[in-house]
Structure formats: C-alpha cells, structure tokens
Amino acid sequence: MTLRRKLIKDNLDTVFAAITVVGGYKSTVGKVERAVRHFDDPNAAPRPFIGYAAGVRESFEYTCSDLAYVTTEFMLVAYVEGATQDGADNALDAMWDDIVRALNQDQTRGANAIRTVITEVVTNEGEMFDGGIWIRALQMRFQVEWDRHLRTST
C-alpha cells in the first residue's frame, strides 16, 4: 500500500468516527471498521455501524514524468436500527445525511487527494428481527481521485 493511499484511509477512519451528535451531526456512529459486513454479522455492532473497503475498483492513468492519476473506488455499508420501521427510516435518513456531510467537509482527504465523489447510494426497505428491532442498510460507492508520484511511491 502506498503512503498516500494509507493516509486517505486514515483520514476516512477519522472522518467517519467523528460522526457524533456532540460533533454537530444528527447521529452518533457506534463503530467504524475497514470491512464491509452483513447486517447480522455480530461484528457489525453496535449500530449505527459504518464499514468500508477500498480498492473495489481502481483506475490508473500515467500522465507524465513519473506522475499517475489514480481513482480509487470505495464501498461503504452503514446499518442503523430503530424500535419501529419509522424510527429505522428516520435513523437511516440521518445517517445518510451525516455520511454525505462528513465526506464533503474535506474532499481532499487531508490534502492527500484531488477530490472525493459519491457515485451511488442504495438502501433497503428494512427488516424486523427478534425483539422487534428494525434494521435498515445503506450501501454507498464513492471515489477518491489522487495523484501518485511513481518515483517516490506516494
């Protein structure tokens, strides 16, 4: 892993972990992890949970004199829960807003990228589980565009 790619992931860890009501957001994330998990995986708790993975797809374009333009695609999965279907719906809407806001506060990922672009969002209708807990899921794809200096591997 190049240094720049690592710094981008470190930035995402920090950005997602900062989603808290105290920090001015609508929700507070229970857990952030560099892994995409299924909602019934015990490691996808506590909810709200955000898991993401890098390198779902990566494009590489050599531009000139040891400089390449790289676009890394990330997949993010978030799970929320509510005591009712409406409660889970409201929690999902708040989490969606919070993730978009968090990603857009610094599109350069701490001056390590050119920009961050959300490309797709998919949600589910929710499911009720034992104990009457409703769980909703959000899947998001986003791209981080950055320059890679081939000579220094950053």
Side-chain angles (χ1 to χ4, degrees), residues 13-140:
D13 287 344
T14 302
V15 164
F16 295 140
I19 297 176
T20 64
V21 172
V22 173
Y25 288 90
K26 298 176 185 177
S27 22
T28 297
V29 173
K31 185 176 187 180
V32 175
E33 192 172 282
R34 288 187 190 179
V36 176
R37 299 197 180 275
H38 193 265
F39 61 83
D40 64 356
D41 183 330
N43 290 313
R47 287 179 285 272
F49 169 85
I50 294 176
Y52 73 96
V56 175
R57 184 175 319 181
E58 192 163 80
S59 66
F60 184 90
E61 179 184 346
Y62 182 76
T63 55
C64 63
S65 56
D66 295 327
L67 181 67
Y69 180 75
V70 180
T71 301
T72 302
E73 183 175 83
F74 288 83
M75 176 184 280
L76 175 145
V77 176
Y79 302 112
V80 297
E81 62 183 48
T84 64
Q85 188 172 14
D86 285 344
D89 291 348
N90 292 337
L92 184 71
D93 289 343
M95 181 57 65
W96 185 342
D97 290 348
D98 289 345
I99 292 169
V100 169
R101 180 176 162 211
L103 284 172
N104 283 313
Q105 280 187 343
D106 176 15
Q107 291 191 10
T108 69
R109 312 276 51 95
N112 292 296
I114 298 165
R115 68 181 183 151
T116 304
V117 180
I118 297 169
T119 58
E120 180 182 49
V121 178
V122 178
T123 63
N124 72 351
E125 294 180 9
E127 291 188 47
M128 188 172 77
F129 288 87
D130 292 339
I133 299 295
W134 281 86
I135 296 178
R136 292 284 316 264
L138 175 144
Q139 178 182 322
M140 178 183 289

